[in-house]
Amino acid sequence: MQERPKTRLHVDGALGDGLTVGLDHERAHYLRHVLRMERGDPVAVFNGRDGEWLTRIDGFGKGWCSLAVRERLREQRDGSDLWLLFAPIKRGRIDSVAEKASELGVSRIWPVFTRHTDPHRVNLDRLRANAVEAAEQCERLTVPELAEPVPLERALAGWPEERVLFLCAESGGATPIAEAVRANAGRPAAFLIGPEGGFAKSELDEIRNRPFAVPVGLGPRVLRADTAAFAALACWQALVGDWMAGSGVDARPPDRSAADPGPPSIR
Amino acid sequence: MQERPKTRLHVDGALGDGLTVGLDHERAHYLRHVLRMERGDPVAVFNGRDGEWLTRIDGFGKGWCSLAVRERLREQRDGSDLWLLFAPIKRGRIDSVAEKASELGVSRIWPVFTRHTDPHRVNLDRLRANAVEAAEQCERLTVPELAEPVPLERALAGWPEERVLFLCAESGGATPIAEAVRANAGRPAAFLIGPEGGFAKSELDEIRNRPFAVPVGLGPRVLRADTAAFAALACWQALVGDWMAGSGVDARPPDRSAADPGPPSIR
């Protein structure tokens, strides 16, 4: 197989032999004027359904670019069944949560409003853009779903009982995370991270009373919300997810040339 | 015991019954004009040696504040013996590495220059400020040491052989992190995170040949340098550090009132 293309993009359309993929204005501009790519140059693409494909730039126009789909580079495979529910936090930090949740293999990112949540709005398009860019860079074959923000009670009311909800609360009784995660190996999972000010005590009690909720402890220090999210997701992947020995054919990332750090970010 | 003070500061001087602690201009201003604190108000302080103490504001002057040390709130205890060596990355991300390394219990933060490291300078004072502020907020009793940046070869040349160096490299042979960390339980540890562009291949070989080096794998996705640092540190704490069951008397953070998220950050 030829060398892997240095540029990798998520696309919406179908991928298969002989098909053509169109890129929008922003991406066409990026390929042509930022990366200075030309007709015939290779681009890897994935859509979350058909695996990863090698394409070649077929043509540029005013505000568009077409890619000719050539050859499958990787078969599609499902990612982890892992949700992240988190209370919106301030801008720089929430962007980083979306980025790192994507890198850490989360399948659904779900903003939830708790009693002490501030801000009360969340820019879903911005979060999605961060998650997609991270998926492109980290070699995922899927992108995380960005679920519509809802009040926490509503998320809990419709909860699928078979999915364990690991509650990351900084105080109160909890099982150390390594133990809790291993005890629930094989179940679809979700982590719930509270806002910077913590959950309300009444709220904590209500969550703990749910049969699917398992409070987990992240040690003796008070972690910021974003730190708690990264830490919890990493522990899950390491212990029962796709970082384990023998967890899949792609247990190490595809090789890159270390001498070439790749193109700058699109955004 | 009375309620814990909402403000917590790291100080340099000795702490003990009857002593007085002076604060510099920046912190005096913060207490007086940002938090609007007054004489007699409580402040928790720690210096990394004498535990955590309750103090009360004794007086404000032009550019200073004195705190009267009253009562020990927590005994000193050592933190984890865990180093983080990382290649400097761009500004926002390196700040966040210092902050989260502090929250995740790192004892020494050590910037090292690898062959593909860019930038070539690092603002140690800035990193230290981020680490100290995180220590104050996360209830640590110590602050991480910020070691003088050196070329990676020099750090390796003087390496203490008993300390395991977990190499987080994105390609090449590696043991899954959970397995590698458990196999080295009880040893002082360090994680080495490469620059955004990865290590040079020759450099990787040189590191791997050291008897104290253990390459670890962080799954099938290519993680950014900062994500890899957070993930690796969290796994270590969860599996062999102070997040484990029975790892210490302070296995959960001190209780805070969830209704009060505490004062804004000093910086």
Side-chain angles (χ1 to χ4, degrees):
Chain A
M1 195 191 289
Q2 71 277 40
E3 212 187 330
R4 295 174 57 78
K6 297 194 181 73
T7 304
R8 188 170 186 272
L9 297 177
H10 176 260
V11 297
D12 291 320
L15 296 172
D17 281 318
L19 295 178
T20 296
V21 175
L23 300 181
D24 62 13
H25 181 275
E26 186 192 14
R27 297 184 152 210
H29 174 85
Y30 170 68
L31 296 190
R32 187 171 198 175
H33 298 289
V34 179
L35 299 185
R36 306 207 170 277
M37 293 177 81
E38 295 176 357
R39 195 154 186 260
D41 281 347
V43 177
V45 300
F46 66 109
N47 62 6
R49 305 182 301 276
D50 301 321
E52 183 180 67
W53 289 74
L54 169 70
T55 70
R56 299 221 171 246
I57 295 176
D58 200 34
F60 287 111
K62 221 176 151 65
W64 60 268
C65 170
S66 66
L67 303 174
V69 180
R70 290 293 172 80
E71 182 187 339
R72 177 133 53 184
L73 297 172
R74 287 195 284 164
E75 294 287 331
Q76 185 67 33
R77 58 182 209 117
D78 289 341
S80 309
D81 188 355
L82 177 61
W83 295 3
L84 174 66
L85 281 73
F86 68 97
I89 47 178
K90 68 181 179 187
R91 185 158 153 163
R93 290 187 188 268
I94 201 175
D95 290 345
S96 148
V97 167
E99 173 189 294
K100 284 167 192 354
S102 188
E103 288 179 71
L104 295 170
V106 164
S107 55
R108 172 189 274 200
I109 299 175
W110 198 357
V112 291
F113 298 105
T114 65
R115 282 184 213 151
H116 296 149
T117 297
D118 176 51
H120 295 283
R121 294 195 307 180
V122 57
N123 183 338
L124 215 58
D125 287 339
R126 191 183 162 88
L127 289 190
R128 187 176 289 117
N130 276 289
V132 168
E133 185 189 345
E136 289 170 346
Q137 297 208 352
C138 79
E139 306 281 343
R140 274 179 76 139
L141 290 174
T142 53
V143 295
E145 174 200 359
L146 260 292
E148 204 57 46
V150 294
L152 175 59
E153 308 91 87
R154 206 176 320 155
L156 296 179
W159 195 261
E161 298 272 336
E162 75 283 3
R163 181 176 299 270
V164 59
L165 178 66
F166 295 112
L167 166 66
C168 300
E170 69 185 41
S171 57
T175 309
I177 186 164
E179 205 175 296
V181 157
R182 273 189 295 235
N184 289 279
R187 287 178 74 181
F191 284 95
L192 171 59
I193 311 286
E196 287 292 359
F199 292 99
K201 284 205 160 57
S202 57
E203 191 171 44
L204 272 184
D205 291 339
E206 286 164 36
I207 306 167
R208 284 207 182 90
N209 282 337
R210 308 282 174 151
F212 48 77
V214 175
V216 294
L218 295 168
R221 289 169 296 281
V222 179
L223 305 185
R224 280 184 180 275
D226 53 347
T227 316
F230 310 152
L233 296 171
C235 290
W236 190 88
Q237 290 291 11
L239 287 168
V240 301
D242 62 14
W243 297 6
M244 291 168 69
S247 58
V249 285
D250 297 331
R252 294 284 282 161
D255 210 17
R256 294 191 302 174
S257 165
D260 183 349
S265 158
I266 190 170
R267 287 176 192 93
Chain B
M1 192 191 288
Q2 70 278 37
E3 212 188 331
R4 296 174 56 79
K6 296 194 183 74
T7 305
R8 188 168 185 274
L9 297 178
H10 177 258
V11 298
D12 290 320
L15 296 171
D17 282 318
L19 294 178
T20 296
V21 175
L23 299 183
D24 63 12
H25 182 275
E26 186 191 13
R27 295 183 153 212
H29 174 86
Y30 170 68
L31 296 189
R32 189 172 197 174
H33 298 290
V34 179
L35 300 185
R36 306 207 170 278
M37 293 177 80
E38 296 177 357
R39 198 157 183 257
D41 281 347
V43 177
V45 300
F46 67 108
N47 62 6
R49 306 182 300 277
D50 301 321
E52 183 181 68
W53 289 75
L54 170 69
T55 70
R56 298 218 171 249
I57 294 176
D58 200 34
F60 286 111
K62 220 174 151 64
W64 59 267
C65 170
S66 67
L67 303 174
V69 180
R70 291 290 172 79
E71 183 187 337
R72 178 131 55 184
L73 297 173
R74 287 195 285 162
E75 294 287 332
Q76 185 66 34
R77 60 183 207 116
D78 289 340
S80 309
D81 188 355
L82 178 62
W83 294 2
L84 174 65
L85 282 72
F86 68 98
I89 46 178
K90 67 181 178 187
R91 187 161 154 161
R93 292 188 187 266
I94 200 175
D95 290 345
S96 149
V97 167
E99 172 188 295
K100 285 167 192 352
S102 187
E103 290 178 70
L104 296 170
V106 165
S107 56
R108 173 189 273 199
I109 299 175
W110 198 355
V112 291
F113 299 104
T114 63
R115 279 180 217 153
H116 296 149
T117 297
D118 175 51
H120 296 282
R121 294 193 309 180
V122 56
N123 183 337
L124 216 57
D125 287 339
R126 191 183 162 87
L127 288 190
R128 188 176 287 116
N130 276 289
V132 169
E133 185 189 345
E136 291 170 346
Q137 297 208 352
C138 79
E139 306 280 344
R140 274 180 78 138
L141 291 173
T142 53
V143 294
E145 174 200 358
L146 261 291
E148 204 57 45
V150 294
L152 175 59
E153 310 90 89
R154 206 179 317 156
L156 297 179
W159 195 261
E161 298 272 336
E162 74 283 5
R163 182 177 300 269
V164 59
L165 178 67
F166 295 112
L167 166 66
C168 301
E170 70 187 41
S171 57
T175 308
I177 187 166
E179 203 177 298
V181 156
R182 274 191 293 237
N184 288 279
R187 287 178 76 179
F191 284 94
L192 171 59
I193 311 287
E196 287 293 358
F199 292 99
K201 284 205 158 58
S202 57
E203 191 171 43
L204 271 183
D205 291 338
E206 286 164 37
I207 306 167
R208 285 208 182 90
N209 282 337
R210 308 282 176 154
F212 48 77
V214 175
V216 295
L218 294 168
R221 289 169 295 281
V222 179
L223 304 185
R224 280 184 179 275
D226 53 346
T227 314
F230 311 152
L233 295 170
C235 290
W236 189 90
Q237 290 290 12
L239 286 169
V240 302
D242 63 14
W243 297 7
M244 290 168 69
S247 58
V249 286
D250 297 332
R252 293 284 283 160
D255 210 16
R256 295 191 301 175
S257 165
D260 184 349
S265 159
I266 190 169
R267 286 177 194 92

